[in-house]
């Protein structure tokens, strides 16, 4: 047999109790909404776009693929690069130069 629990609140009307709960819930939702960061979808760039961002030629881009500096993704005959990985590669390239 299940035992039910009873909670009694004295000195507070049902409306006051309801408003108290709603106020707390609204404050918590507002706090969560301020800290909410939607996840940005991955952005894939073409070889040309990647070369322009890195300010290198397509030949250099192919060389960096072979040297594993960049990680290309193949979609059939297409080659794409993740923008986030390009930014990481820039940091890595600059760190090696220092």
């Amino acid at each position: 047999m299940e035992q039910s629990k009873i909670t009694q609140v004295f000195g507070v009307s049902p409306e006051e109790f309801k408003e108290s709960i709603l106020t707390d819930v609204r404050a918590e939702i507002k706090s969560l909404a301020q800290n909410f960061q939607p996840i940005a979808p991955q952005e894939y760039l073409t070889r040309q776009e990647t070369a322009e961002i890195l300010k290198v030629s397509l030949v250099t881009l192919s060389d960096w693929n072979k040297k594993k500096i960049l990680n290309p993704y193949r979609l059939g005959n297409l080659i794409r690069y993740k923008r986030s990985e390009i930014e990481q590669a820039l940091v890595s390239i600059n760190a090696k130069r220092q």
Side-chain angles (χ1 to χ4, degrees):
M1 236 188 227
E2 279 189 40
Q3 215 175 17
S4 63
K5 294 183 180 181
I6 298 174
T7 303
Q8 294 182 349
V9 180
F10 295 100
V12 178
S13 71
E15 291 79 23
E16 291 172 333
F17 186 61
K18 177 183 171 185
E19 279 303 313
S20 174
I21 292 172
L22 286 174
T23 301
D24 291 343
V25 169
R26 285 181 184 129
E28 188 64 28
I29 289 173
K30 186 176 181 179
S31 171
L32 290 172
Q34 289 174 345
N35 297 324
F36 177 72
Q37 296 292 327
I39 297 173
Q42 283 288 343
E43 183 179 359
Y44 290 91
L45 303 171
T46 64
R47 292 179 70 231
Q48 188 65 42
E49 291 170 333
T50 304
E52 288 174 11
I53 289 171
L54 297 173
K55 299 196 184 331
V56 297
S57 68
L58 293 176
V59 174
T60 301
L61 203 62
S62 295
D63 186 45
W64 285 0
N65 291 343
K66 291 175 188 171
K67 291 180 180 179
K68 304 291 184 191
I69 295 172
L70 295 176
N71 185 22
Y73 294 89
R74 286 199 172 271
L75 304 169
N77 291 335
L78 305 175
I79 296 176
R80 296 290 186 260
Y81 299 89
K82 287 184 182 178
R83 180 180 286 276
S84 59
E85 291 179 1
I86 292 169
E87 292 167 358
Q88 290 172 354
L90 279 173
V91 171
S92 174
I93 291 167
N94 287 330
K96 290 178 184 179
R97 289 183 180 178
Q98 294 177 354

